[in-house]
């Protein structure tokens, strides 16, 4: 319920243009570590492994809006856990190149058919199939991720195959803390 309310408030803020990015230096592990601990509880209840990887090439301190970055990670991991019945969910924080870093969430879940891949980023849209019929949700999480990524001057990529899982990659400009 709390996740739904947070997403609904986030969607309203995005739709009204009320999101203000508050960019401050942060350590990736300190920002998402506690969040992943909470999400790991839900993964463990389903017998899933939640794996975290932080690229050693990623700068120790980045600059960004920690609140909205946590929202991106939470929505991606929550979806991955929700639609994965066995296997794992991997969360990777990687340096792409000199100018970009990425948050990548890879699961061994049900996957998304090609014809539905564009729709999953639209508000209140969901993939309708026998595999998703038992899952509750309102179709806000990925819409919020896509819009926040755009506001942060990034882009989102999706690779998925029905029955084999999905990989969502949020690519953001690399802003390092200046000493």
């Amino acid at each position: 319920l709390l996740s739904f309310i947070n997403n609904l408030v986030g969607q309203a803020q995005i739709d009204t243009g009320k999101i203000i990015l508050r960019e401050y230096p942060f350590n990736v592990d300190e920002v998402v570590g506690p969040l992943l601990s909470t999400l790991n509880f839900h993964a463990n209840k389903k017998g899933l492994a939640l794996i975290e990887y932080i690229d050693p090439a990623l700068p120790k301190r980045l600059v960004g809006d920690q609140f909205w970055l946590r929202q991106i990670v939470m929505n991606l991991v929550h979806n991955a856990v929700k639609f994965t019945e066995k296997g794992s969910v991997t969360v990777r924080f990687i340096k792409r190149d000199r100018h970009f870093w990425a948050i990548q969430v890879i699961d061994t879940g049900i996957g998304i058919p090609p014809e539905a891949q564009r729709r999953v980023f639209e508000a209140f849209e969901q993939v309708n199939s026998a595999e998703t019929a038992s899952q509750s949700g309102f179709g806000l999480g990925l819409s919020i991720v896509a819009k926040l990524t755009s506001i942060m001057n990034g882009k989102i990529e999706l690779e998925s195959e029905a029955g084999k899982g999905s990989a969502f990659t949020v690519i953001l400009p690399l802003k390092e803390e200046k000493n």
Side-chain angles (χ1 to χ4, degrees), residues 73-109:
V73 173
M74 183 181 73
N75 285 347
L76 289 175
V77 174
H78 182 265
N79 264 18
V81 169
K82 182 162 66 168
F83 294 107
T84 302
E85 291 305 316
K86 62 181 181 193
S88 63
V89 174
T90 301
V91 186
R92 300 176 69 222
F93 303 92
I94 55 175
K95 182 175 180 180
R96 299 273 294 207
D97 58 36
R98 288 182 15 188
H99 304 287
F100 296 96
W101 70 290
I103 301 164
Q104 189 172 51
V105 177
I106 305 162
D107 66 58
T108 57

PDB file of all heavy atoms in Angstrom, residues 73-109:
ATOM      1  N   VAL A  73      15.280   2.669  -8.295  1.00  0.00           N
ATOM      2  CA  VAL A  73      15.751   1.337  -7.911  1.00  0.00           C
ATOM      3  C   VAL A  73      14.610   0.535  -7.286  1.00  0.00           C
ATOM      4  O   VAL A  73      14.398  -0.633  -7.626  1.00  0.00           O
ATOM      5  CB  VAL A  73      16.961   1.429  -6.953  1.00  0.00           C
ATOM      6  CG1 VAL A  73      17.343   0.050  -6.418  1.00  0.00           C
ATOM      7  CG2 VAL A  73      18.154   2.071  -7.659  1.00  0.00           C
ATOM      8  N   MET A  74      13.861   1.154  -6.387  1.00  0.00           N
ATOM      9  CA  MET A  74      12.768   0.455  -5.719  1.00  0.00           C
ATOM     10  C   MET A  74      11.747  -0.068  -6.724  1.00  0.00           C
ATOM     11  O   MET A  74      11.343  -1.227  -6.671  1.00  0.00           O
ATOM     12  CB  MET A  74      12.067   1.360  -4.709  1.00  0.00           C
ATOM     13  CG  MET A  74      10.963   0.626  -3.954  1.00  0.00           C
ATOM     14  SD  MET A  74      10.092   1.653  -2.785  1.00  0.00           S
ATOM     15  CE  MET A  74       9.135   2.664  -3.893  1.00  0.00           C
ATOM     16  N   ASN A  75      11.335   0.771  -7.663  1.00  0.00           N
ATOM     17  CA  ASN A  75      10.328   0.344  -8.631  1.00  0.00           C
ATOM     18  C   ASN A  75      10.843  -0.769  -9.535  1.00  0.00           C
ATOM     19  O   ASN A  75      10.121  -1.732  -9.809  1.00  0.00           O
ATOM     20  CB  ASN A  75       9.840   1.526  -9.461  1.00  0.00           C
ATOM     21  CG  ASN A  75       8.908   2.429  -8.682  1.00  0.00           C
ATOM     22  OD1 ASN A  75       8.421   2.090  -7.611  1.00  0.00           O
ATOM     23  ND2 ASN A  75       8.676   3.618  -9.206  1.00  0.00           N
ATOM     24  N   LEU A  76      12.080  -0.662  -9.990  1.00  0.00           N
ATOM     25  CA  LEU A  76      12.633  -1.701 -10.860  1.00  0.00           C
ATOM     26  C   LEU A  76      12.780  -3.026 -10.128  1.00  0.00           C
ATOM     27  O   LEU A  76      12.408  -4.089 -10.650  1.00  0.00           O
ATOM     28  CB  LEU A  76      13.974  -1.257 -11.449  1.00  0.00           C
ATOM     29  CG  LEU A  76      13.926  -0.151 -12.493  1.00  0.00           C
ATOM     30  CD1 LEU A  76      15.334   0.267 -12.886  1.00  0.00           C
ATOM     31  CD2 LEU A  76      13.136  -0.591 -13.727  1.00  0.00           C
ATOM     32  N   VAL A  77      13.333  -2.980  -8.924  1.00  0.00           N
ATOM     33  CA  VAL A  77      13.553  -4.225  -8.169  1.00  0.00           C
ATOM     34  C   VAL A  77      12.216  -4.811  -7.719  1.00  0.00           C
ATOM     35  O   VAL A  77      12.013  -6.030  -7.789  1.00  0.00           O
ATOM     36  CB  VAL A  77      14.510  -3.999  -6.979  1.00  0.00           C
ATOM     37  CG1 VAL A  77      14.618  -5.263  -6.127  1.00  0.00           C
ATOM     38  CG2 VAL A  77      15.889  -3.585  -7.478  1.00  0.00           C
ATOM     39  N   HIS A  78      11.296  -3.977  -7.280  1.00  0.00           N
ATOM     40  CA  HIS A  78       9.977  -4.465  -6.861  1.00  0.00           C
ATOM     41  C   HIS A  78       9.308  -5.211  -8.003  1.00  0.00           C
ATOM     42  O   HIS A  78       8.763  -6.312  -7.812  1.00  0.00           O
ATOM     43  CB  HIS A  78       9.109  -3.290  -6.385  1.00  0.00           C
ATOM     44  CG  HIS A  78       7.779  -3.710  -5.892  1.00  0.00           C
ATOM     45  ND1 HIS A  78       6.660  -3.711  -6.686  1.00  0.00           N
ATOM     46  CD2 HIS A  78       7.378  -4.168  -4.682  1.00  0.00           C
ATOM     47  CE1 HIS A  78       5.628  -4.144  -5.991  1.00  0.00           C
ATOM     48  NE2 HIS A  78       6.033  -4.417  -4.770  1.00  0.00           N
ATOM     49  N   ASN A  79       9.324  -4.636  -9.199  1.00  0.00           N
ATOM     50  CA  ASN A  79       8.737  -5.317 -10.367  1.00  0.00           C
ATOM     51  C   ASN A  79       9.453  -6.629 -10.663  1.00  0.00           C
ATOM     52  O   ASN A  79       8.816  -7.634 -10.968  1.00  0.00           O
ATOM     53  CB  ASN A  79       8.796  -4.417 -11.601  1.00  0.00           C
ATOM     54  CG  ASN A  79       7.517  -3.660 -11.820  1.00  0.00           C
ATOM     55  OD1 ASN A  79       6.692  -3.530 -10.924  1.00  0.00           O
ATOM     56  ND2 ASN A  79       7.367  -3.136 -13.014  1.00  0.00           N
ATOM     57  N   ALA A  80      10.773  -6.599 -10.608  1.00  0.00           N
ATOM     58  CA  ALA A  80      11.547  -7.810 -10.911  1.00  0.00           C
ATOM     59  C   ALA A  80      11.195  -8.933  -9.939  1.00  0.00           C
ATOM     60  O   ALA A  80      10.984 -10.080 -10.349  1.00  0.00           O
ATOM     61  CB  ALA A  80      13.043  -7.502 -10.866  1.00  0.00           C
ATOM     62  N   VAL A  81      11.125  -8.611  -8.652  1.00  0.00           N
ATOM     63  CA  VAL A  81      10.770  -9.623  -7.655  1.00  0.00           C
ATOM     64  C   VAL A  81       9.339 -10.109  -7.876  1.00  0.00           C
ATOM     65  O   VAL A  81       9.059 -11.307  -7.824  1.00  0.00           O
ATOM     66  CB  VAL A  81      10.971  -9.076  -6.217  1.00  0.00           C
ATOM     67  CG1 VAL A  81      10.364 -10.012  -5.181  1.00  0.00           C
ATOM     68  CG2 VAL A  81      12.452  -8.843  -5.931  1.00  0.00           C
ATOM     69  N   LYS A  82       8.438  -9.184  -8.147  1.00  0.00           N
ATOM     70  CA  LYS A  82       7.031  -9.529  -8.321  1.00  0.00           C
ATOM     71  C   LYS A  82       6.827 -10.512  -9.475  1.00  0.00           C
ATOM     72  O   LYS A  82       6.025 -11.440  -9.375  1.00  0.00           O
ATOM     73  CB  LYS A  82       6.205  -8.257  -8.563  1.00  0.00           C
ATOM     74  CG  LYS A  82       4.729  -8.522  -8.714  1.00  0.00           C
ATOM     75  CD  LYS A  82       3.842  -7.308  -8.537  1.00  0.00           C
ATOM     76  CE  LYS A  82       3.972  -6.243  -9.540  1.00  0.00           C
ATOM     77  NZ  LYS A  82       2.896  -5.239  -9.458  1.00  0.00           N
ATOM     78  N   PHE A  83       7.574 -10.342 -10.573  1.00  0.00           N
ATOM     79  CA  PHE A  83       7.351 -11.163 -11.754  1.00  0.00           C
ATOM     80  C   PHE A  83       8.405 -12.258 -11.939  1.00  0.00           C
ATOM     81  O   PHE A  83       8.565 -12.785 -13.028  1.00  0.00           O
ATOM     82  CB  PHE A  83       7.258 -10.283 -13.002  1.00  0.00           C
ATOM     83  CG  PHE A  83       6.044  -9.402 -12.988  1.00  0.00           C
ATOM     84  CD1 PHE A  83       6.145  -8.039 -12.759  1.00  0.00           C
ATOM     85  CD2 PHE A  83       4.774  -9.946 -13.164  1.00  0.00           C
ATOM     86  CE1 PHE A  83       5.023  -7.232 -12.722  1.00  0.00           C
ATOM     87  CE2 PHE A  83       3.646  -9.144 -13.134  1.00  0.00           C
ATOM     88  CZ  PHE A  83       3.767  -7.786 -12.905  1.00  0.00           C
ATOM     89  N   THR A  84       9.118 -12.586 -10.864  1.00  0.00           N
ATOM     90  CA  THR A  84      10.093 -13.675 -10.905  1.00  0.00           C
ATOM     91  C   THR A  84       9.688 -14.718  -9.866  1.00  0.00           C
ATOM     92  O   THR A  84       9.567 -14.396  -8.688  1.00  0.00           O
ATOM     93  CB  THR A  84      11.514 -13.158 -10.606  1.00  0.00           C
ATOM     94  OG1 THR A  84      11.845 -12.151 -11.572  1.00  0.00           O
ATOM     95  CG2 THR A  84      12.546 -14.275 -10.683  1.00  0.00           C
ATOM     96  N   GLU A  85       9.479 -15.939 -10.318  1.00  0.00           N
ATOM     97  CA  GLU A  85       9.067 -17.010  -9.405  1.00  0.00           C
ATOM     98  C   GLU A  85      10.236 -17.850  -8.922  1.00  0.00           C
ATOM     99  O   GLU A  85      10.172 -18.448  -7.862  1.00  0.00           O
ATOM    100  CB  GLU A  85       8.009 -17.903 -10.068  1.00  0.00           C
ATOM    101  CG  GLU A  85       6.678 -17.201 -10.265  1.00  0.00           C
ATOM    102  CD  GLU A  85       6.107 -16.622  -8.965  1.00  0.00           C
ATOM    103  OE1 GLU A  85       6.152 -17.312  -7.932  1.00  0.00           O
ATOM    104  OE2 GLU A  85       5.622 -15.475  -8.996  1.00  0.00           O
ATOM    105  N   LYS A  86      11.286 -17.938  -9.727  1.00  0.00           N
ATOM    106  CA  LYS A  86      12.462 -18.706  -9.306  1.00  0.00           C
ATOM    107  C   LYS A  86      13.694 -18.089  -9.943  1.00  0.00           C
ATOM    108  O   LYS A  86      13.619 -17.434 -10.977  1.00  0.00           O
ATOM    109  CB  LYS A  86      12.326 -20.184  -9.668  1.00  0.00           C
ATOM    110  CG  LYS A  86      12.214 -20.441 -11.145  1.00  0.00           C
ATOM    111  CD  LYS A  86      12.055 -21.911 -11.447  1.00  0.00           C
ATOM    112  CE  LYS A  86      11.971 -22.026 -12.963  1.00  0.00           C
ATOM    113  NZ  LYS A  86      11.552 -23.248 -13.472  1.00  0.00           N
ATOM    114  N   GLY A  87      14.810 -18.292  -9.265  1.00  0.00           N
ATOM    115  CA  GLY A  87      16.065 -17.761  -9.798  1.00  0.00           C
ATOM    116  C   GLY A  87      16.541 -16.561  -9.012  1.00  0.00           C
ATOM    117  O   GLY A  87      16.640 -16.607  -7.789  1.00  0.00           O
ATOM    118  N   SER A  88      16.783 -15.458  -9.730  1.00  0.00           N
ATOM    119  CA  SER A  88      17.416 -14.324  -9.069  1.00  0.00           C
ATOM    120  C   SER A  88      17.013 -12.990  -9.685  1.00  0.00           C
ATOM    121  O   SER A  88      16.480 -12.926 -10.791  1.00  0.00           O
ATOM    122  CB  SER A  88      18.940 -14.458  -9.159  1.00  0.00           C
ATOM    123  OG  SER A  88      19.345 -14.414 -10.517  1.00  0.00           O
ATOM    124  N   VAL A  89      17.306 -11.967  -8.918  1.00  0.00           N
ATOM    125  CA  VAL A  89      17.212 -10.584  -9.376  1.00  0.00           C
ATOM    126  C   VAL A  89      18.579  -9.974  -9.070  1.00  0.00           C
ATOM    127  O   VAL A  89      19.043 -10.032  -7.941  1.00  0.00           O
ATOM    128  CB  VAL A  89      16.094  -9.814  -8.645  1.00  0.00           C
ATOM    129  CG1 VAL A  89      16.122  -8.336  -9.030  1.00  0.00           C
ATOM    130  CG2 VAL A  89      14.725 -10.424  -8.951  1.00  0.00           C
ATOM    131  N   THR A  90      19.200  -9.416 -10.088  1.00  0.00           N
ATOM    132  CA  THR A  90      20.516  -8.799  -9.932  1.00  0.00           C
ATOM    133  C   THR A  90      20.401  -7.298 -10.145  1.00  0.00           C
ATOM    134  O   THR A  90      19.786  -6.857 -11.119  1.00  0.00           O
ATOM    135  CB  THR A  90      21.526  -9.381 -10.941  1.00  0.00           C
ATOM    136  OG1 THR A  90      21.616 -10.799 -10.730  1.00  0.00           O
ATOM    137  CG2 THR A  90      22.903  -8.766 -10.782  1.00  0.00           C
ATOM    138  N   VAL A  91      20.972  -6.543  -9.217  1.00  0.00           N
ATOM    139  CA  VAL A  91      20.985  -5.084  -9.311  1.00  0.00           C
ATOM    140  C   VAL A  91      22.441  -4.673  -9.485  1.00  0.00           C
ATOM    141  O   VAL A  91      23.269  -4.942  -8.617  1.00  0.00           O
ATOM    142  CB  VAL A  91      20.396  -4.432  -8.042  1.00  0.00           C
ATOM    143  CG1 VAL A  91      20.294  -2.928  -8.227  1.00  0.00           C
ATOM    144  CG2 VAL A  91      19.046  -5.024  -7.699  1.00  0.00           C
ATOM    145  N   ARG A  92      22.714  -4.008 -10.606  1.00  0.00           N
ATOM    146  CA  ARG A  92      24.090  -3.614 -10.917  1.00  0.00           C
ATOM    147  C   ARG A  92      24.180  -2.099 -11.045  1.00  0.00           C
ATOM    148  O   ARG A  92      23.314  -1.480 -11.663  1.00  0.00           O
ATOM    149  CB  ARG A  92      24.540  -4.265 -12.228  1.00  0.00           C
ATOM    150  CG  ARG A  92      24.503  -5.770 -12.193  1.00  0.00           C
ATOM    151  CD  ARG A  92      24.862  -6.391 -13.529  1.00  0.00           C
ATOM    152  NE  ARG A  92      26.260  -6.166 -13.799  1.00  0.00           N
ATOM    153  CZ  ARG A  92      26.758  -5.818 -14.984  1.00  0.00           C
ATOM    154  NH1 ARG A  92      25.981  -5.652 -16.019  1.00  0.00           N
ATOM    155  NH2 ARG A  92      28.053  -5.632 -15.133  1.00  0.00           N
ATOM    156  N   PHE A  93      25.223  -1.539 -10.470  1.00  0.00           N
ATOM    157  CA  PHE A  93      25.528  -0.114 -10.600  1.00  0.00           C
ATOM    158  C   PHE A  93      26.868  -0.073 -11.311  1.00  0.00           C
ATOM    159  O   PHE A  93      27.882  -0.486 -10.750  1.00  0.00           O
ATOM    160  CB  PHE A  93      25.595   0.545  -9.216  1.00  0.00           C
ATOM    161  CG  PHE A  93      24.327   0.362  -8.434  1.00  0.00           C
ATOM    162  CD1 PHE A  93      24.170  -0.702  -7.577  1.00  0.00           C
ATOM    163  CD2 PHE A  93      23.271   1.250  -8.595  1.00  0.00           C
ATOM    164  CE1 PHE A  93      22.988  -0.892  -6.874  1.00  0.00           C
ATOM    165  CE2 PHE A  93      22.089   1.079  -7.907  1.00  0.00           C
ATOM    166  CZ  PHE A  93      21.948  -0.001  -7.033  1.00  0.00           C
ATOM    167  N   ILE A  94      26.861   0.394 -12.552  1.00  0.00           N
ATOM    168  CA  ILE A  94      28.060   0.278 -13.387  1.00  0.00           C
ATOM    169  C   ILE A  94      28.422   1.600 -14.051  1.00  0.00           C
ATOM    170  O   ILE A  94      27.575   2.439 -14.303  1.00  0.00           O
ATOM    171  CB  ILE A  94      27.879  -0.815 -14.471  1.00  0.00           C
ATOM    172  CG1 ILE A  94      26.630  -0.545 -15.311  1.00  0.00           C
ATOM    173  CG2 ILE A  94      27.808  -2.197 -13.834  1.00  0.00           C
ATOM    174  CD1 ILE A  94      26.415  -1.487 -16.467  1.00  0.00           C
ATOM    175  N   LYS A  95      29.697   1.729 -14.322  1.00  0.00           N
ATOM    176  CA  LYS A  95      30.187   2.866 -15.105  1.00  0.00           C
ATOM    177  C   LYS A  95      30.145   2.432 -16.565  1.00  0.00           C
ATOM    178  O   LYS A  95      30.749   1.427 -16.940  1.00  0.00           O
ATOM    179  CB  LYS A  95      31.608   3.234 -14.689  1.00  0.00           C
ATOM    180  CG  LYS A  95      32.144   4.435 -15.423  1.00  0.00           C
ATOM    181  CD  LYS A  95      33.509   4.853 -14.918  1.00  0.00           C
ATOM    182  CE  LYS A  95      33.996   6.072 -15.681  1.00  0.00           C
ATOM    183  NZ  LYS A  95      35.320   6.492 -15.209  1.00  0.00           N
ATOM    184  N   ARG A  96      29.396   3.159 -17.377  1.00  0.00           N
ATOM    185  CA  ARG A  96      29.283   2.822 -18.800  1.00  0.00           C
ATOM    186  C   ARG A  96      30.493   3.319 -19.582  1.00  0.00           C
ATOM    187  O   ARG A  96      31.038   2.624 -20.417  1.00  0.00           O
ATOM    188  CB  ARG A  96      28.018   3.434 -19.394  1.00  0.00           C
ATOM    189  CG  ARG A  96      26.725   2.974 -18.788  1.00  0.00           C
ATOM    190  CD  ARG A  96      26.206   1.752 -19.424  1.00  0.00           C
ATOM    191  NE  ARG A  96      25.831   1.997 -20.811  1.00  0.00           N
ATOM    192  CZ  ARG A  96      24.934   1.328 -21.475  1.00  0.00           C
ATOM    193  NH1 ARG A  96      24.267   0.385 -20.880  1.00  0.00           N
ATOM    194  NH2 ARG A  96      24.679   1.586 -22.726  1.00  0.00           N
ATOM    195  N   ASP A  97      30.830   4.585 -19.337  1.00  0.00           N
ATOM    196  CA  ASP A  97      31.986   5.202 -19.981  1.00  0.00           C
ATOM    197  C   ASP A  97      32.299   6.482 -19.220  1.00  0.00           C
ATOM    198  O   ASP A  97      31.806   6.682 -18.120  1.00  0.00           O
ATOM    199  CB  ASP A  97      31.715   5.463 -21.479  1.00  0.00           C
ATOM    200  CG  ASP A  97      30.500   6.342 -21.732  1.00  0.00           C
ATOM    201  OD1 ASP A  97      30.252   7.286 -20.942  1.00  0.00           O
ATOM    202  OD2 ASP A  97      29.788   6.110 -22.723  1.00  0.00           O
ATOM    203  N   ARG A  98      33.085   7.359 -19.805  1.00  0.00           N
ATOM    204  CA  ARG A  98      33.483   8.603 -19.118  1.00  0.00           C
ATOM    205  C   ARG A  98      32.310   9.506 -18.789  1.00  0.00           C
ATOM    206  O   ARG A  98      32.386  10.320 -17.880  1.00  0.00           O
ATOM    207  CB  ARG A  98      34.443   9.404 -19.999  1.00  0.00           C
ATOM    208  CG  ARG A  98      35.808   8.848 -20.133  1.00  0.00           C
ATOM    209  CD  ARG A  98      36.680   9.733 -20.978  1.00  0.00           C
ATOM    210  NE  ARG A  98      36.077  11.064 -21.160  1.00  0.00           N
ATOM    211  CZ  ARG A  98      36.528  11.985 -21.950  1.00  0.00           C
ATOM    212  NH1 ARG A  98      37.595  11.770 -22.664  1.00  0.00           N
ATOM    213  NH2 ARG A  98      35.925  13.161 -22.062  1.00  0.00           N
ATOM    214  N   HIS A  99      31.227   9.372 -19.532  1.00  0.00           N
ATOM    215  CA  HIS A  99      30.126  10.320 -19.403  1.00  0.00           C
ATOM    216  C   HIS A  99      28.851   9.755 -18.764  1.00  0.00           C
ATOM    217  O   HIS A  99      27.957  10.521 -18.413  1.00  0.00           O
ATOM    218  CB  HIS A  99      29.772  10.897 -20.776  1.00  0.00           C
ATOM    219  CG  HIS A  99      30.942  11.529 -21.458  1.00  0.00           C
ATOM    220  ND1 HIS A  99      31.476  12.729 -21.055  1.00  0.00           N
ATOM    221  CD2 HIS A  99      31.703  11.105 -22.498  1.00  0.00           C
ATOM    222  CE1 HIS A  99      32.515  13.033 -21.829  1.00  0.00           C
ATOM    223  NE2 HIS A  99      32.669  12.070 -22.710  1.00  0.00           N
ATOM    224  N   PHE A 100      28.769   8.440 -18.646  1.00  0.00           N
ATOM    225  CA  PHE A 100      27.515   7.835 -18.173  1.00  0.00           C
ATOM    226  C   PHE A 100      27.749   6.697 -17.188  1.00  0.00           C
ATOM    227  O   PHE A 100      28.741   5.981 -17.277  1.00  0.00           O
ATOM    228  CB  PHE A 100      26.701   7.298 -19.361  1.00  0.00           C
ATOM    229  CG  PHE A 100      26.250   8.371 -20.293  1.00  0.00           C
ATOM    230  CD1 PHE A 100      26.992   8.665 -21.434  1.00  0.00           C
ATOM    231  CD2 PHE A 100      25.098   9.100 -20.039  1.00  0.00           C
ATOM    232  CE1 PHE A 100      26.592   9.672 -22.300  1.00  0.00           C
ATOM    233  CE2 PHE A 100      24.687  10.106 -20.902  1.00  0.00           C
ATOM    234  CZ  PHE A 100      25.440  10.397 -22.028  1.00  0.00           C
ATOM    235  N   TRP A 101      26.787   6.545 -16.281  1.00  0.00           N
ATOM    236  CA  TRP A 101      26.741   5.398 -15.390  1.00  0.00           C
ATOM    237  C   TRP A 101      25.357   4.785 -15.527  1.00  0.00           C
ATOM    238  O   TRP A 101      24.478   5.368 -16.150  1.00  0.00           O
ATOM    239  CB  TRP A 101      27.065   5.780 -13.950  1.00  0.00           C
ATOM    240  CG  TRP A 101      26.028   6.600 -13.219  1.00  0.00           C
ATOM    241  CD1 TRP A 101      25.676   7.899 -13.440  1.00  0.00           C
ATOM    242  CD2 TRP A 101      25.220   6.149 -12.129  1.00  0.00           C
ATOM    243  NE1 TRP A 101      24.705   8.297 -12.560  1.00  0.00           N
ATOM    244  CE2 TRP A 101      24.403   7.243 -11.737  1.00  0.00           C
ATOM    245  CE3 TRP A 101      25.105   4.958 -11.436  1.00  0.00           C
ATOM    246  CZ2 TRP A 101      23.488   7.155 -10.696  1.00  0.00           C
ATOM    247  CZ3 TRP A 101      24.199   4.879 -10.394  1.00  0.00           C
ATOM    248  CH2 TRP A 101      23.406   5.968 -10.031  1.00  0.00           C
ATOM    249  N   ALA A 102      25.162   3.589 -14.981  1.00  0.00           N
ATOM    250  CA  ALA A 102      23.878   2.914 -15.181  1.00  0.00           C
ATOM    251  C   ALA A 102      23.456   2.121 -13.948  1.00  0.00           C
ATOM    252  O   ALA A 102      24.280   1.622 -13.190  1.00  0.00           O
ATOM    253  CB  ALA A 102      23.950   1.984 -16.384  1.00  0.00           C
ATOM    254  N   ILE A 103      22.151   2.042 -13.802  1.00  0.00           N
ATOM    255  CA  ILE A 103      21.509   1.155 -12.842  1.00  0.00           C
ATOM    256  C   ILE A 103      20.859   0.066 -13.697  1.00  0.00           C
ATOM    257  O   ILE A 103      20.061   0.375 -14.582  1.00  0.00           O
ATOM    258  CB  ILE A 103      20.417   1.885 -12.036  1.00  0.00           C
ATOM    259  CG1 ILE A 103      21.002   3.069 -11.283  1.00  0.00           C
ATOM    260  CG2 ILE A 103      19.695   0.909 -11.108  1.00  0.00           C
ATOM    261  CD1 ILE A 103      19.955   4.064 -10.783  1.00  0.00           C
ATOM    262  N   GLN A 104      21.221  -1.171 -13.435  1.00  0.00           N
ATOM    263  CA  GLN A 104      20.694  -2.258 -14.244  1.00  0.00           C
ATOM    264  C   GLN A 104      20.036  -3.289 -13.319  1.00  0.00           C
ATOM    265  O   GLN A 104      20.634  -3.697 -12.322  1.00  0.00           O
ATOM    266  CB  GLN A 104      21.818  -2.909 -15.035  1.00  0.00           C
ATOM    267  CG  GLN A 104      21.365  -3.904 -16.054  1.00  0.00           C
ATOM    268  CD  GLN A 104      22.524  -4.358 -16.925  1.00  0.00           C
ATOM    269  OE1 GLN A 104      23.559  -4.754 -16.419  1.00  0.00           O
ATOM    270  NE2 GLN A 104      22.330  -4.297 -18.229  1.00  0.00           N
ATOM    271  N   VAL A 105      18.811  -3.671 -13.647  1.00  0.00           N
ATOM    272  CA  VAL A 105      18.098  -4.695 -12.882  1.00  0.00           C
ATOM    273  C   VAL A 105      17.772  -5.829 -13.849  1.00  0.00           C
ATOM    274  O   VAL A 105      17.078  -5.626 -14.847  1.00  0.00           O
ATOM    275  CB  VAL A 105      16.823  -4.135 -12.216  1.00  0.00           C
ATOM    276  CG1 VAL A 105      16.062  -5.240 -11.500  1.00  0.00           C
ATOM    277  CG2 VAL A 105      17.187  -3.013 -11.242  1.00  0.00           C
ATOM    278  N   ILE A 106      18.311  -7.006 -13.527  1.00  0.00           N
ATOM    279  CA  ILE A 106      18.179  -8.177 -14.395  1.00  0.00           C
ATOM    280  C   ILE A 106      17.461  -9.264 -13.602  1.00  0.00           C
ATOM    281  O   ILE A 106      17.851  -9.567 -12.469  1.00  0.00           O
ATOM    282  CB  ILE A 106      19.564  -8.694 -14.829  1.00  0.00           C
ATOM    283  CG1 ILE A 106      20.365  -7.568 -15.474  1.00  0.00           C
ATOM    284  CG2 ILE A 106      19.440  -9.899 -15.755  1.00  0.00           C
ATOM    285  CD1 ILE A 106      21.857  -7.819 -15.543  1.00  0.00           C
ATOM    286  N   ASP A 107      16.427  -9.850 -14.194  1.00  0.00           N
ATOM    287  CA  ASP A 107      15.707 -10.916 -13.492  1.00  0.00           C
ATOM    288  C   ASP A 107      15.579 -12.155 -14.360  1.00  0.00           C
ATOM    289  O   ASP A 107      15.817 -12.110 -15.561  1.00  0.00           O
ATOM    290  CB  ASP A 107      14.330 -10.429 -13.020  1.00  0.00           C
ATOM    291  CG  ASP A 107      13.381 -10.112 -14.159  1.00  0.00           C
ATOM    292  OD1 ASP A 107      13.103 -11.008 -14.989  1.00  0.00           O
ATOM    293  OD2 ASP A 107      12.880  -8.975 -14.219  1.00  0.00           O
ATOM    294  N   THR A 108      15.218 -13.251 -13.723  1.00  0.00           N
ATOM    295  CA  THR A 108      14.983 -14.518 -14.414  1.00  0.00           C
ATOM    296  C   THR A 108      13.482 -14.811 -14.432  1.00  0.00           C
ATOM    297  O   THR A 108      13.060 -15.961 -14.355  1.00  0.00           O
ATOM    298  CB  THR A 108      15.740 -15.662 -13.714  1.00  0.00           C
ATOM    299  OG1 THR A 108      15.317 -15.727 -12.345  1.00  0.00           O
ATOM    300  CG2 THR A 108      17.240 -15.461 -13.791  1.00  0.00           C
ATOM    301  N   GLY A 109      12.696 -13.755 -14.539  1.00  0.00           N
ATOM    302  CA  GLY A 109      11.239 -13.857 -14.445  1.00  0.00           C
ATOM    303  C   GLY A 109      10.556 -14.220 -15.732  1.00  0.00           C
ATOM    304  O   GLY A 109      11.154 -14.805 -16.650  1.00  0.00           O
TER     305      GLY A 109
END
